[in-house]
Amino acid sequence: MKLIKNTEIKKKIIEDSGFKSQFSFDPVSDTELFSAEAGEYIITEGVRPQYLYYMCSGRAKLYMTLSNGKIALIDFFTAPCFIGEMELLTDTGEVRAVQAIEKCMCLALPLKRYRERLLKDSCFLLNLCRLLGNKNCRNIISFTRNQAFPLANRLASFILLTEEDGIYHEKHTLTAEYLGISYRHLLFVLADFTDKGYLAKDKRRYVICNRAALEKLAGEIK
């Protein structure tokens, strides 16, 4: 991640993002601004973060490495949201990786200096409870959709969620596990999307050729 030292840019992002309204105190004097390019880590797996991040723009994904060496996608984050809140709430437990899908701008408060104050701030804790509640509801809805809707709809939604500048390049194994399907079933539907002109295969990635068709399929999931 890159530290942005331009105070005017930081000031504007703080004002536009509603960052200050997340707390009962003014955190601006100790707030840093970081940018993460697509593919960069906001939080590295196994390394406790030094900051509580507030992602103001961009998308990111949360994943973990299993004991057998496989990597499992867990969740996706869309700004605005906190990142690193679980590490704030507990000093124990494994740290999961958070990786930028596209360029992300993150405001950051140093945990060493603010941990105790944050844990006693009723305004922040209320906002954090709302965030965690929304995440839980989203995960329940995602699980329900995985049981109820055809793969074509779910895959279209997943492609739009993870694409970067019109390019879809998630590993098939990760996608199959996240969607709860077989590797072969995934390849079959991707081939169907390619035959229909929704996607065009380019080596190990896919170019989105008909976004409207994918959006229509994704939009059928209610």
Side-chain angles (χ1 to χ4, degrees):
M1 291 231 292
K2 180 181 178 181
L3 175 64
I4 307 298
K5 297 183 179 181
N6 188 309
T7 55
E8 290 302 314
I9 292 177
K10 182 172 74 172
K11 180 181 178 181
K12 186 175 189 309
I13 289 178
I14 287 174
E15 291 175 351
D16 293 345
S17 66
F19 177 68
K20 291 194 292 185
S21 67
Q22 303 297 318
F23 315 93
S24 62
F25 58 90
D26 188 348
V28 171
S29 61
D30 289 316
T31 298
E32 304 279 9
L33 176 63
F34 291 91
S35 68
E37 298 296 330
E40 285 191 311
Y41 291 96
I42 299 172
I43 295 179
T44 302
E45 188 172 21
V47 180
R48 299 200 70 82
Q50 298 180 4
Y51 295 91
L52 171 69
Y53 296 101
Y54 187 71
M55 189 168 70
C56 304
S57 64
R59 295 172 295 143
K61 57 185 178 182
L62 173 72
Y63 67 84
M64 63 180 290
T65 302
L66 303 176
S67 58
N68 60 5
K70 291 185 178 180
I71 296 175
L73 285 174
I74 302 172
D75 201 0
F76 294 89
F77 304 142
T78 301
C81 68
F82 285 108
I83 293 177
E85 73 282 357
M86 300 308 296
E87 288 72 25
L88 165 69
L89 295 174
T90 176
D91 289 325
T92 60
E94 297 180 16
V95 178
R96 312 304 186 191
V98 179
Q99 186 179 29
I101 295 174
E102 61 189 12
K103 184 174 182 178
C104 298
M105 300 297 289
C106 299
L107 295 166
L109 270 179
L111 284 175
K112 185 175 181 180
R113 187 178 307 172
Y114 278 89
R115 179 184 297 275
E116 293 302 319
R117 189 168 188 178
L118 289 169
L119 292 176
K120 294 177 181 178
D121 184 1
S122 58
C123 177
F124 166 73
L125 292 175
L126 176 60
N127 287 319
L128 190 58
C129 285
R130 288 170 175 163
L131 169 69
L132 294 174
N134 288 336
K135 282 185 178 180
N136 187 53
C137 288
R138 187 179 69 248
N139 288 337
I140 291 172
I141 292 171
S142 177
F143 175 79
T144 303
R145 287 172 174 171
N146 276 352
Q147 305 299 312
F149 284 89
L151 177 56
N153 300 94
R154 294 184 286 123
L155 181 57
S157 178
F158 184 84
I159 290 172
L160 294 173
L161 180 65
T162 57
E163 60 93 8
E164 179 196 351
D165 296 329
I167 303 296
Y168 167 72
H169 51 73
E170 285 292 335
K171 292 182 178 179
H172 293 336
T173 51
L174 296 184
T175 302
E177 289 178 5
Y178 183 80
L179 295 175
I181 58 170
S182 69
Y183 190 91
R184 181 179 294 181
H185 193 185
L186 173 64
L187 292 181
F188 177 82
V189 178
L190 283 172
D192 183 57
F193 281 5
T194 302
D195 290 342
K196 292 178 177 176
Y198 302 167
L199 303 173
K201 191 171 183 179
D202 180 17
K203 297 181 180 179
R204 295 188 177 183
R205 61 183 192 170
Y206 291 84
V207 179
I208 296 176
C209 301
N210 191 339
R211 183 178 294 271
L214 294 178
E215 289 176 345
K216 183 175 185 296
L217 281 172
E220 292 173 1
I221 299 178
K222 301 296 184 180

